[in-house]
Amino acid sequence: MIKIASTIKDVAKYTGLSIATISKYINGGNVLDKNKQIIDEAIKALDFKVNEIARGLKTNKTMTIGVLIPDFKNIFFTTVVSNIENVLIQNGYSTIICDYKNDNVLEKEKFNFLVNKQVDGIIIIPQGDDVRHIKEHINKNMPLVLVDRALEGVECDTILVDNMNASYNAVEHLITRGHKSIGIICGPDNIFTAVERLKGYMRVHKDYSMKIDESLVKKGDNDVESGYTRLNELLDLQVPPTAVFVTNYEMTLGAIMALNERNIKIPDELSIVGFDNLHMARIVKPSLSIVVQPMEQIGEIAANTILRRLRGDMSNYPSMVRLKTELMINQSVKDLRG
Amino acid sequence: MIKIASTIKDVAKYTGLSIATISKYINGGNVLDKNKQIIDEAIKALDFKVNEIARGLKTNKTMTIGVLIPDFKNIFFTTVVSNIENVLIQNGYSTIICDYKNDNVLEKEKFNFLVNKQVDGIIIIPQGDDVRHIKEHINKNMPLVLVDRALEGVECDTILVDNMNASYNAVEHLITRGHKSIGIICGPDNIFTAVERLKGYMRVHKDYSMKIDESLVKKGDNDVESGYTRLNELLDLQVPPTAVFVTNYEMTLGAIMALNERNIKIPDELSIVGFDNLHMARIVKPSLSIVVQPMEQIGEIAANTILRRLRGDMSNYPSMVRLKTELMINQSVKDLRG
DNA sequence: CTACAATCGTGAAACGTTTCGCTCTACTTT
DNA sequence: AAAGTAGAGCGAAACGTTTCACGATTGTAG
């Protein structure tokens, strides 16, 4: 094994100053200019870097944030996380990322794993079933930020998109193009975003005095398979809808697969609006109209929120940020008017 | 602030035994059965957990692996990482993940960031330009595993797919369906996988005594935009190819977008074989023939390799694993024979 | 019964920082 | 000249573990 890294003791020996003086300088304390110079010289000559393990033992900080997400293969989650990691590393924090694979038991286990790793804070895209481990944690002195899903009874910083109005606007787009029979493929009732998106669908129907046909409301599991299955169920109805709104990316993928297999032409035979993402919208022909979420912004705001809390800035706690989505109108909606 | 977590001192006080005895028991040493029982009782009653910061200061281990990847939005990379994280967490390791955004300077910075965080090992999907920071690191007592790309002059454990034969098989499929004019959209020369995949294209041409038309060889940047641009360039040729092989996922996305915009029918007007992924293959109509990489396996082998090295098992070092890909034949290749 | 060996508990040093309070020096004011 | 004040360096304790070497106890063999 080659040379072990230098420690503050080596810097002290090199400079003739004490460990306390070196530490004071490193941490921004007052030292004489001539001592500053010689300490800098020593640090450079010895290639000294503070041992963050030792520092952590004393300060009880690990300069690490834990991020817990439901699915590493979901480009929405990974885009959010990419932006979180980017902001955090610029502030000297590392990011431990855990994938709980949409499994509530695994979520709790990995949450506890992060706590035991003594991360300084946790950013979580929660599942939403049993949230006791999160609730219990609120009373501890460690910042927690929820992303994408709010949790009932969990009062802490939360970064969301405005799912209800995202849905409202998407379905309104269909309504204003003359569609009266609009199906929805939404997620399960335990997922916050699924519930909110369905509410938007309901609300816009009510606002336009349109009756909701419960047989057009299909609940999936936010995965490709259920998107596929539910789309087929909608099309197998005696009177299928003329349009479908699919409320997440994976189910949108599945719905498109089902349409491809049935050789159904978009938008001639069925109009469709999906959720995410920009690339997929353009490789489906004709290009899909989709709700676009501000993933970069979600990640940045989540990271900056937790950094503020870590700095001791508790103003406006607990905050809830609801970001606007954008409806990207392409060619997958047929105009039934005229 | 509520109660601070218990320390080994509290357990010692509760049991009447010494800190050394508690530590010995925790770490698998011999203690009397009656003492084992009372220590277990104390641990449970006090909800004691070893402080890994303190342990790390003494043992110089952080139980953390750094993972450095080029792009968080790339589903190939994130799927690999998901599997890495899964294996590592089952072995008590946390995973710090950094995204260097295909930027060599950022790669070096984040690599050094991970080193300074004193991770126990690093798994990297390297970019391939300037690899000095990686080379310098090989001589240090910290395991390093390369994934997806080998690096010249860097001798360490490497987990790859057999890119050359993946490409060979894909193009052979086109050749054996009667295609004589086959274009390729491959990545840039500094990316290992791009070079290997182009080699496979060349080799199969040679093996079938087919002349390579250099104008059909287009080099992109492994992103959506260049896939789009290069596909258009191929189709703008005076005599366009009858088939195209695209050697990564993003460029495959871009190529499809270009085909959609030109209203070119697959496979009637152009046959196409892409790289990844399973979902995208089925949402393009007709479904794409694609090369499928064993992402789960790559991740698991990478994680298990680094764990072996961390346990001190240096057998077969440096190892190189080349995994087979699979050619998934769907409906995007026209049979020109007969 | 004695001698030897094995087992197990323990004290305390060490890991590399931070930080508090003390001390010394220099400067200023009376 | 003396007293008071401010600045800066420093010693050493502490953070929470690990681990080594030592001593005491227990068990076994002759």
Side-chain angles (χ1 to χ4, degrees):
Chain A
M1 188 192 292
I2 72 159
K3 180 171 73 78
I4 289 156
S6 304
T7 75
I8 203 166
K9 287 169 181 167
D10 300 308
V11 179
K13 192 169 288 181
Y14 183 108
T15 57
L17 297 163
S18 74
I19 289 165
T21 300
I22 312 298
S23 184
K24 187 166 69 159
Y25 174 59
I26 287 166
N27 289 295
N30 287 329
V31 300
L32 299 177
D33 279 345
K34 73 179 179 72
N35 285 339
K36 283 176 180 173
Q37 284 163 16
I38 194 167
I39 294 170
D40 282 340
E41 178 191 312
I43 287 173
K44 185 164 184 168
L46 297 166
D47 194 25
F48 167 77
K49 293 179 189 67
V50 176
N51 182 321
E52 291 204 20
I53 301 173
R55 173 179 272 177
L57 182 56
K58 194 66 184 93
T59 62
N60 220 22
K61 293 184 194 315
T62 54
M63 296 304 293
T64 299
I65 304 295
V67 174
L68 190 46
I69 70 171
D71 185 5
F72 256 68
K73 301 183 194 65
N74 182 307
I75 198 168
F76 167 74
F77 297 140
T78 56
T79 303
V80 168
V81 167
S82 175
N83 284 276
I84 289 172
E85 189 264 331
N86 202 48
V87 172
L88 292 178
I89 202 168
Q90 282 168 358
N91 285 268
Y93 281 84
S94 53
T95 312
I96 291 178
I97 303 176
C98 297
D99 176 0
Y100 67 84
K101 304 183 192 309
N102 285 302
D103 183 294
N104 189 244
V105 171
L106 252 194
E107 179 191 329
K108 183 177 159 70
E109 278 174 21
K110 296 198 177 189
F111 184 91
N112 288 331
F113 176 87
L114 289 172
V115 171
N116 288 340
K117 284 288 177 176
Q118 291 169 80
V119 293
D120 294 339
I122 294 182
I123 297 174
I124 180 170
I125 304 179
Q127 200 246 9
D129 278 341
D130 181 1
V131 301
R132 278 175 290 175
H133 54 292
I134 300 176
K135 272 180 166 178
E136 280 158 19
H137 183 78
I138 296 298
N139 293 326
K140 293 191 169 68
N141 198 32
M142 185 209 269
L144 183 71
V145 171
L146 298 181
V147 166
D148 192 47
R149 297 136 187 216
L151 295 174
E152 196 163 342
V154 175
E155 306 260 319
C156 67
D157 294 310
T158 309
I159 319 298
L160 307 171
V161 300
D162 185 350
N163 292 287
M164 195 182 302
N165 279 312
S167 204
Y168 190 105
N169 292 338
V171 179
E172 185 177 43
H173 175 65
L174 293 167
I175 292 172
T176 59
R177 293 299 177 280
H179 291 271
K180 293 178 167 43
S181 176
I182 303 167
I184 182 170
I185 300 176
C186 54
D189 286 335
N190 61 326
I191 302 289
F192 174 83
T193 49
V195 173
E196 294 287 296
R197 291 171 190 176
L198 179 54
K199 278 180 183 172
Y201 170 92
M202 305 279 198
R203 177 182 282 186
V204 72
H205 275 75
K206 187 177 172 186
D207 283 1
Y208 280 78
S209 302
M210 287 168 66
K211 200 167 182 331
I212 290 162
D213 184 344
E214 291 293 333
S215 73
L216 298 184
V217 175
K218 297 293 177 183
K219 290 177 181 173
D221 284 317
N222 275 342
D223 60 7
V224 173
E225 287 65 43
S226 62
Y228 176 92
T229 303
R230 297 292 177 266
L231 197 284
N232 278 320
E233 285 172 9
L234 284 172
L235 294 189
D236 285 343
L237 292 173
Q238 200 153 6
V239 186
T242 60
V244 174
F245 174 48
V246 193
T247 69
N248 97 328
Y249 173 68
E250 279 73 26
M251 295 192 298
T252 305
L253 287 179
I256 299 299
M257 290 173 189
L259 291 175
N260 285 348
E261 282 180 22
R262 295 171 82 116
N263 256 316
I264 285 178
K265 285 181 161 42
I266 299 168
D268 293 340
E269 302 176 67
L270 184 79
S271 295
I272 184 166
V273 178
F275 236 87
D276 295 317
N277 75 12
L278 296 175
H279 290 149
M280 198 265 283
R282 285 174 67 197
I283 64 173
V284 170
K285 187 160 164 46
S287 54
L288 282 186
S289 298
I290 52 167
V291 177
V292 182
Q293 302 185 82
M295 306 168 198
E296 287 77 16
Q297 215 180 335
I298 295 171
E300 281 168 24
I301 294 176
N304 283 312
T305 300
I306 210 160
L307 288 172
R308 277 205 297 116
R309 301 308 180 207
L310 286 165
R311 287 188 201 108
D313 177 355
M314 299 308 291
S315 61
N316 197 32
Y317 181 86
S319 65
M320 178 171 277
V321 174
R322 264 178 211 278
L323 299 167
K324 289 301 176 187
T325 61
E326 182 197 339
L327 180 61
M328 173 174 283
I329 297 171
N330 286 307
Q331 280 104 43
S332 62
V333 175
K334 187 179 185 182
D335 201 320
L336 299 185
R337 298 168 298 173
Chain B
M1 187 189 294
I2 73 158
K3 181 170 73 77
I4 290 158
S6 304
T7 74
I8 203 165
K9 288 169 178 165
D10 300 307
V11 179
K13 192 170 285 180
Y14 182 109
T15 58
L17 297 163
S18 76
I19 290 166
T21 300
I22 313 298
S23 183
K24 186 165 70 157
Y25 173 60
I26 286 165
N27 289 294
N30 287 329
V31 301
L32 298 175
D33 279 344
K34 74 179 178 72
N35 286 339
K36 283 176 180 174
Q37 283 163 16
I38 194 166
I39 294 169
D40 281 339
E41 178 191 315
I43 288 173
K44 185 165 184 167
L46 297 165
D47 193 26
F48 168 76
K49 294 179 190 69
V50 175
N51 181 322
E52 291 203 20
I53 301 173
R55 173 178 272 177
L57 181 57
K58 193 69 183 88
T59 62
N60 219 23
K61 294 183 195 314
T62 55
M63 297 302 292
T64 298
I65 303 295
V67 174
L68 189 47
I69 69 171
D71 185 6
F72 256 68
K73 298 185 195 66
N74 182 307
I75 199 169
F76 168 74
F77 297 140
T78 58
T79 304
V80 169
V81 168
S82 174
N83 284 275
I84 290 173
E85 189 265 330
N86 202 49
V87 172
L88 292 180
I89 200 166
Q90 282 168 357
N91 285 269
Y93 282 84
S94 53
T95 312
I96 291 179
I97 304 176
C98 298
D99 177 359
Y100 66 83
K101 303 182 192 309
N102 285 303
D103 183 293
N104 190 245
V105 171
L106 251 191
E107 179 192 327
K108 182 178 159 71
E109 278 175 21
K110 295 197 176 188
F111 185 92
N112 288 330
F113 175 86
L114 289 172
V115 170
N116 288 340
K117 284 286 175 178
Q118 291 169 77
V119 293
D120 294 340
I122 293 181
I123 297 175
I124 180 171
I125 305 180
Q127 200 248 11
D129 279 342
D130 182 0
V131 300
R132 277 176 290 174
H133 54 293
I134 300 176
K135 271 182 167 175
E136 281 158 18
H137 183 78
I138 296 299
N139 294 324
K140 293 191 169 68
N141 199 32
M142 183 208 271
L144 183 70
V145 172
L146 299 182
V147 166
D148 190 48
R149 296 129 187 223
L151 295 174
E152 197 163 339
V154 176
E155 305 260 319
C156 64
D157 294 312
T158 308
I159 319 297
L160 307 172
V161 302
D162 186 349
N163 293 286
M164 194 182 302
N165 279 312
S167 204
Y168 189 105
N169 293 339
V171 179
E172 184 176 44
H173 176 64
L174 293 167
I175 291 172
T176 59
R177 292 301 176 277
H179 291 271
K180 292 176 164 47
S181 178
I182 303 166
I184 182 171
I185 301 175
C186 54
D189 284 338
N190 61 326
I191 303 286
F192 173 83
T193 50
V195 172
E196 294 287 295
R197 291 171 192 177
L198 179 55
K199 278 180 182 172
Y201 170 92
M202 304 279 198
R203 177 182 282 186
V204 71
H205 276 77
K206 188 178 171 186
D207 284 1
Y208 280 78
S209 303
M210 287 170 65
K211 202 170 172 351
I212 291 162
D213 185 343
E214 292 292 331
S215 71
L216 300 184
V217 175
K218 297 293 177 183
K219 289 176 183 175
D221 284 317
N222 276 341
D223 59 10
V224 174
E225 287 65 41
S226 64
Y228 176 93
T229 304
R230 298 293 177 265
L231 198 285
N232 279 319
E233 285 172 8
L234 283 173
L235 295 188
D236 287 343
L237 293 174
Q238 201 154 5
V239 186
T242 61
V244 174
F245 173 49
V246 193
T247 69
N248 96 328
Y249 173 67
E250 280 74 24
M251 296 193 296
T252 304
L253 287 179
I256 298 300
M257 290 171 189
L259 290 175
N260 285 349
E261 283 181 22
R262 294 172 82 116
N263 256 318
I264 284 177
K265 284 182 163 39
I266 300 167
D268 294 340
E269 301 176 69
L270 184 79
S271 295
I272 184 166
V273 178
F275 237 86
D276 295 315
N277 71 12
L278 296 176
H279 291 150
M280 198 265 285
R282 285 174 66 196
I283 64 174
V284 170
K285 186 156 161 49
S287 54
L288 281 187
S289 298
I290 50 167
V291 177
V292 182
Q293 302 186 81
M295 304 169 201
E296 286 78 17
Q297 215 181 335
I298 295 169
E300 280 167 23
I301 293 175
N304 283 312
T305 300
I306 209 158
L307 288 172
R308 278 204 297 118
R309 299 309 180 207
L310 285 165
R311 284 185 204 113
D313 177 355
M314 299 308 292
S315 62
N316 198 30
Y317 181 87
S319 66
M320 178 171 278
V321 175
R322 265 178 211 277
L323 299 167
K324 289 301 178 187
T325 61
E326 182 196 338
L327 180 62
M328 173 173 283
I329 297 172
N330 285 308
Q331 280 103 43
S332 63
V333 174
K334 186 179 187 182
D335 201 322
L336 299 184
R337 297 168 299 172

